[in-house]
Amino acid sequence: MKKLKHRMAQAAEEYLKELQPVPLHMKRESQVPKYLNLVNKGGGSQGLERALGHLLRIMAKAQVFDFQCFLLMDGLGTIISAVITPGMQDESDVSKKAVVLAVQLYRNACTLCPQIARHALLGNSVVGLFDALFQSLQLPEEKSPQHPVELSTELMLACTVALSPSYTKKHTHPNVLERLPDLISYAVITGLIEILSRRCMKIRESIENHQSVVLSLLATLGFITRFIDVCPPGPTDPTRFLSAAKSTELFGSIAMLYATVVPIGECIPPRTISLAAATFNLLVSMAVLDLATFQEVMSSEAISLKFLDVVTILLKYCGNKCTAAKNSETQAVIIDLIATIGFFCANNKQNQDLLTSEQCSIIIKNLTKLPEHLNVVVYPCLVTITFQNQEARNVISRDFNLDFLDEYSKSEKAKKNHLVALLKDKT
């Protein structure tokens, strides 16, 4: 851990040395230097909250010279060292409101400016966010009218934006991809991934009526999914992230979804649908990252049964809804759910047989009844279920004309499909 921290700090130091000083004309045009200096001094006579509020308003205007000043002055590093880190200490002089404003400023700056988001990683300030998040997850959350969103949720949202793959995977700075593995390792070794997963595991019942819990879980799932998106692929697992996925049974997501969906039954309310959408998005991302890890966890008896119970309920409910609204969140659930079934069965006879067994017949029936506009996801899924498995083909043929499937398998569309491309002949 010491070596990792040292390596990360050293890389950040080298990067920060390369930053140019703020040009004088920018200092004259922008108010950012003034308010960042105030933040550095504890807010001056007006206090931290006002200085941070001014910075939030300035950044919202999205002026290039303001972004440049914020970047070159390491604004993210300043708000971590001057506000967030000290604000997380016991009996701190920094108010909770100031910490929340600082986290919101961090998130907004990264959202509005890709260069600042990359700077979060390269300048290592995102580690300060990770540490603050780890602390906040171990404290009892204080809910108040002034802070309707929990601090841990605010922190997760900020971290998620800072790790956005649309920023990190663009080769605009040569060191971005080099730095990601250390950051992921840090999150695993410090226990952040585990404590995030535990939040999901703790759910034992429907949480539809608990808005703050739903929001927190959505932020948790989104943050973990972002880690999956930026994790380097490959079987060696240098970051230990895949091991964490296994030990937490894919971050507690299946257990959480089972606990929230199954008790409700066939009429799934909107917040639970949002949770399902986020969970299946995570599962698809995980399967794309490392199919072997995904299948190893999903194939365990306890997890696979929970998974199939959830699929049965959601497929029936969401399938009916999909005919009515083509662009709804319900459809997003269905698309990722079908993809997840496909990944579950890809090159895996045991899972193919399970899915085409009598106990899962309702899943197959509902899959084949989905509206035509979903064929683009249903066909690849059915191909993976039946691939080199005659028994599975026989089962599917009861509800579906396999000629359509065989024709699709030979098409250009099939060749370009990610799921179908995974299938390997065993001859």
Side-chain angles (χ1 to χ4, degrees):
M1 184 65 178
K2 276 185 183 176
K3 279 184 184 175
L4 177 65
K5 277 187 169 181
H6 177 70
R7 188 166 66 239
M8 292 171 79
Q10 200 171 19
E13 194 180 329
E14 286 169 13
Y15 162 75
L16 291 169
K17 275 181 190 171
E18 293 172 9
L19 291 180
Q20 302 297 314
V22 181
L24 283 173
H25 71 277
M26 279 192 186
K27 278 189 176 178
R28 284 195 295 269
E29 286 183 56
S30 175
Q31 292 280 293
V32 167
K34 172 186 168 183
Y35 289 111
L36 270 183
N37 286 329
L38 274 175
V39 168
N40 242 332
K41 293 170 185 171
S45 58
Q46 295 184 336
L48 265 177
E49 292 169 19
R50 184 166 287 193
L52 290 164
H54 279 300
L55 283 168
L56 270 166
R57 286 187 287 277
I58 291 166
M59 298 308 278
K61 292 175 185 172
Q63 297 296 316
V64 173
F65 53 85
D66 289 328
F67 288 157
Q68 281 290 93
C69 286
F70 195 83
L71 176 67
L72 295 174
M73 291 182 70
D74 188 24
L76 296 180
T78 298
I79 56 180
I80 290 287
S81 60
V83 187
I84 296 173
T85 301
M88 295 303 295
Q89 306 308 313
D90 293 335
E91 298 177 19
S92 170
D93 292 336
V94 179
S95 68
K96 184 179 177 185
K97 185 179 178 183
V99 174
V100 171
L101 287 170
V103 175
Q104 289 171 346
L105 174 59
Y106 196 107
R107 182 176 104 205
N108 290 4
C110 290
T111 303
L112 293 165
C113 180
Q115 286 83 358
I116 291 175
R118 283 192 287 275
H119 177 80
L121 173 66
L122 295 168
N124 219 27
S125 64
V126 73
V127 169
L129 274 193
F130 284 10
D131 292 342
L133 174 58
F134 188 83
Q135 279 179 275
S136 73
L137 290 170
Q138 299 186 76
L139 298 170
E141 294 283 4
E142 296 171 25
K143 294 187 182 72
S144 67
Q146 292 88 6
H147 309 294
V149 178
E150 294 172 352
L151 177 59
S152 59
T153 303
E154 292 276 14
L155 282 160
M156 281 188 275
L157 294 172
C159 291
T160 305
V161 169
L163 285 182
S164 174
S166 59
Y167 306 146
T168 53
K169 288 195 174 178
K170 283 180 184 172
H171 292 260
T172 46
H173 195 289
N175 296 340
V176 166
L177 294 181
E178 288 173 24
R179 298 283 298 281
L180 277 170
D182 278 351
L183 192 65
I184 296 166
S185 295
Y186 185 85
V188 173
I189 294 168
T190 55
L192 179 59
I193 299 294
E194 188 181 339
I195 202 170
L196 288 168
S197 304
R198 252 188 267 142
R199 284 171 85 75
C200 295
M201 294 172 193
K202 280 179 185 173
I203 303 302
R204 295 279 183 269
E205 60 189 4
S206 169
I207 50 170
E208 182 65 26
N209 297 324
H210 303 283
Q211 186 176 355
S212 65
V213 178
V214 174
L215 189 57
S216 172
L217 282 172
L218 288 173
T220 304
L221 292 166
F223 186 29
I224 294 171
T225 304
R226 191 51 46 85
F227 272 114
I228 297 169
D229 291 340
V230 300
C231 185
T236 54
D237 195 24
T239 63
R240 304 185 204 175
F241 185 74
L242 299 180
S243 300
K246 289 177 193 174
S247 66
T248 57
E249 295 184 322
L250 297 182
F251 316 107
S253 59
I254 297 291
M256 181 270 297
L257 199 57
Y258 180 82
T260 54
V261 168
V262 172
I264 293 175
E266 291 180 9
C267 187
I268 314 293
R271 286 178 189 149
T272 305
I273 287 290
S274 298
L275 269 185
T279 304
F280 280 106
N281 183 33
L282 181 152
L283 292 172
V284 168
S285 297
M286 193 65 220
V288 169
L289 173 65
D290 195 277
L291 185 62
T293 299
F294 170 80
Q295 286 190 348
E296 184 182 326
V297 175
M298 296 293 282
S299 299
S300 74
E301 189 177 355
I303 292 293
S304 64
L305 291 176
K306 285 179 179 178
F307 167 64
L308 293 171
D309 277 353
V310 168
V311 164
T312 303
I313 293 168
L314 287 175
L315 201 52
K316 185 174 182 183
Y317 173 78
C318 297
N320 292 336
K321 292 281 179 186
C322 272
T323 51
K326 286 191 179 181
N327 295 315
S328 64
E329 193 167 31
T330 309
Q331 178 158 300
V333 172
I334 279 287
I335 288 170
D336 280 346
L337 180 153
I338 295 167
T340 306
I341 294 171
F343 284 116
F344 180 69
C345 292
N347 303 315
N348 192 312
K349 188 172 186 306
Q350 179 189 326
N351 290 348
Q352 286 176 326
D353 291 344
L354 176 60
L355 206 76
T356 49
S357 64
E358 190 58 39
Q359 73 188 81
C360 294
S361 59
I362 190 68
I363 292 177
I364 299 299
K365 275 187 170 61
N366 285 330
L367 260 182
T368 56
K369 281 183 195 168
L370 288 169
E372 268 186 38
H373 70 271
L374 289 172
N375 283 352
V376 67
V377 282
V378 171
Y379 277 30
C381 177
L382 292 177
V383 168
T384 61
I385 295 170
T386 56
F387 184 70
Q388 295 194 336
N389 189 326
Q390 189 56 49
E391 295 95 330
R393 283 178 66 85
N394 294 341
V395 171
I396 299 281
S397 67
R398 294 175 204 156
D399 299 290
F400 191 80
N401 186 339
L402 290 179
D403 292 343
F404 292 139
L405 215 53
D406 294 337
E407 190 181 327
Y408 168 78
S409 296
K410 295 167 190 166
S411 70
E412 284 301 312
K413 278 184 183 175
K415 287 173 189 170
K416 291 174 184 172
N417 183 273
H418 184 86
L419 250 180
V420 177
L422 288 171
L423 301 176
K424 293 169 186 165
D425 284 315
K426 290 172 186 170
T427 50

